[in-house]
């Protein structure tokens, strides 16, 4: 029996272009991890990465989040709930690293509570979208915010089934590169929009959480969210390719996510160089 027949992610890792993209991204991340500035300033780089990632994720949700706005919100002032949510999510990723592989759905519920605390009723926090009275599909269920223009979200019953599959996938250790696992986690959550509000923030945070927990970026130095923002329209296009569920679409999405991680790593390398210059 081949490895790919046992591990469904292995088939994705073997798609054309994926291995090369993984190696290229890993090379840049390793260069970042080996930067001598990190011997003394690792916490500073991690904090800068967290802030830049949070800002990028909020902007991708449609928020106006320039640096001045970010500082205003961080000071405790009122502000766009997307910015506040992204900052809270970013600040708690380190706490969720241990929970993520053991209880992914619990971690996702916590991420939604953090992301949506200022946007949805308290009794909806951490709870996936519900169906109508008869548990019907899109017609009877709660709506989902769609900042990337992906179209109608899957019905709650499908969301529940696919979240269960994702939970099983994450609970099983795999030899597949963290970059591939992170891309699939991101793609699934962005496609499902399980909670209806803040799902993009959650999907991008879950990708980053996967990269941290699976050892690619143990100190959370890389902001892939920034890479997704800088890619412009390519982000939505690649995600729509993933939604098509064809080998080509899924492979293109994984390659795209690797490039976003690479861009985030290069940004943190620039931060390291700036710190070195003083």
């Amino acid at each position: 029996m081949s490895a790919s027949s046992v591990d469904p992610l292995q088939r994705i890792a073997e798609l054309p272009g994926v291995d090369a993209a993984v190696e290229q991204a890993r090379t840049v991340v390793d260069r970042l991890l080996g930067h001598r500035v990190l011997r003394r300033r690792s916490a500073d780089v991690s904090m800068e990465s967290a802030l830049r990632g949070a800002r990028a994720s909020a902007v991708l949700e449609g928020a106006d989040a320039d640096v001045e706005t970010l500082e205003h919100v961080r000071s405790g002032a009122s502000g766009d709930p997307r910015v506040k949510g992204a900052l809270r999510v970013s600040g708690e990723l380190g706490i969720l690293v241990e929970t993520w592989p053991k209880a992914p759905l619990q971690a996702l519920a916590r991420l939604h509570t953090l992301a949506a605390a200022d946007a949805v009723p308290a009794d909806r926090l951490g709870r996936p979208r519900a169906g109508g009275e008869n548990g019907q599909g899109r017609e009877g269920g709660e709506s989902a915010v769609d900042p990337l223009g992906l179209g109608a979200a899957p019905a709650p019953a499908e969301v529940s089934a696919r979240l269960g599959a994702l939970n099983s996938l994450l609970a099983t250790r795999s030899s597949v590169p963290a970059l591939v696992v992170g891309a699939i986690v991101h793609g699934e959550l962005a496609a499902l929009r399980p909670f209806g509000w803040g799902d993009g923030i959650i999907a991008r945070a879950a990708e980053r959480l996967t990269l941290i927990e699976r050892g690619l970026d143990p100190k959370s130095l890389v902001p892939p969210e920034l890479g997704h923002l800088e890619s412009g329209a390519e982000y939505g296009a690649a995600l729509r390719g993933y939604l098509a569920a064809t080998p080509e679409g899924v492979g293109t999405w994984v390659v795209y996510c690797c490039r976003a991680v690479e861009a985030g790593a290069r940004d943190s390398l620039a931060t390291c160089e700036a710190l070195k210059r003083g």
Side-chain angles (χ1 to χ4, degrees), residues 114-153:
L114 293 166
D118 298 296
V120 304
D123 63 352
R124 295 301 309 146
L125 292 174
R127 298 178 61 187
R129 288 185 287 115
E133 293 182 0
N134 299 317
Q136 299 297 317
R138 297 178 179 86
E139 295 83 357
E142 299 174 12
S143 61
V145 177
D146 187 19
L148 294 175
L150 301 177

Side-chain angles (χ1 to χ4, degrees), residues 9 24 31 62 68 73 84 87 141 152 192 216 235 245 257 277:
L9 290 177
Q24 185 169 322
R31 191 184 310 156
E68 184 177 341
V73 172
K84 295 171 75 174
L87 284 168
L192 294 176
L216 181 83
Y235 180 31
C257 285
R277 291 192 297 271

Side-chain angles (χ1 to χ4, degrees), residues 6 39 53 95 226:
V6 175
R39 297 172 190 170
I95 299 173
L226 191 62

Side-chain angles (χ1 to χ4, degrees), residues 89 92 96 104-116 126 195:
V89 165
E92 197 160 315
L96 290 172
L105 297 186
Q106 179 183 328
L108 289 174
R110 178 58 182 165
L111 287 173
H112 183 249
T113 298
L114 293 166
F195 298 102

Side-chain angles (χ1 to χ4, degrees), residues 29-203:
V29 173
D30 286 346
R31 191 184 310 156
L32 168 64
L33 296 178
H35 201 289
R36 62 183 182 180
V37 161
L38 297 179
R39 297 172 190 170
R40 293 177 293 109
R41 306 289 298 274
S42 177
D44 294 333
V45 178
S46 180
M47 180 175 292
E48 180 68 15
S49 170
L51 290 174
R52 291 169 75 80
R55 175 188 172 276
S57 204
V59 171
L60 286 165
E61 286 297 287
D64 179 9
D66 57 23
V67 175
E68 184 177 341
T69 300
L70 204 67
E71 290 301 324
H72 182 71
V73 172
R74 285 183 68 206
S75 70
S78 61
D80 191 315
R82 292 166 292 193
V83 179
K84 295 171 75 174
L87 284 168
R88 280 193 297 264
V89 165
S90 182
E92 197 160 315
L93 282 187
I95 299 173
L96 290 172
V97 170
E98 288 191 13
T99 305
W100 186 232
K102 300 173 185 175
L105 297 186
Q106 179 183 328
L108 289 174
R110 178 58 182 165
L111 287 173
H112 183 249
T113 298
L114 293 166
D118 298 296
V120 304
D123 63 352
R124 295 301 309 146
L125 292 174
R127 298 178 61 187
R129 288 185 287 115
E133 293 182 0
N134 299 317
Q136 299 297 317
R138 297 178 179 86
E139 295 83 357
E142 299 174 12
S143 61
V145 177
D146 187 19
L148 294 175
L150 301 177
E158 181 181 347
V159 170
S160 179
R162 287 173 66 174
L163 281 179
L166 185 62
N167 184 71
S168 298
L169 200 67
L170 288 170
T172 303
R173 301 314 291 178
S174 171
S175 61
V176 170
L179 286 156
V180 175
V181 182
I184 297 306
V185 167
H186 183 165
E188 276 294 286
L189 292 172
L192 294 176
R193 281 166 280 163
F195 298 102
W197 197 98
D199 292 305
I201 294 172
I202 294 165

Side-chain angles (χ1 to χ4, degrees), residues 67 213 228 241 266:
V67 175
E213 189 273 322
H228 294 305
R266 292 189 187 281

Side-chain angles (χ1 to χ4, degrees), residues 235-257:
Y235 180 31
L239 187 50
R240 282 187 284 275
Y242 177 83
L243 290 174
T246 63
E248 180 181 5
V250 173
T252 297
W253 166 252
V254 175
V255 169
Y256 160 80
C257 285

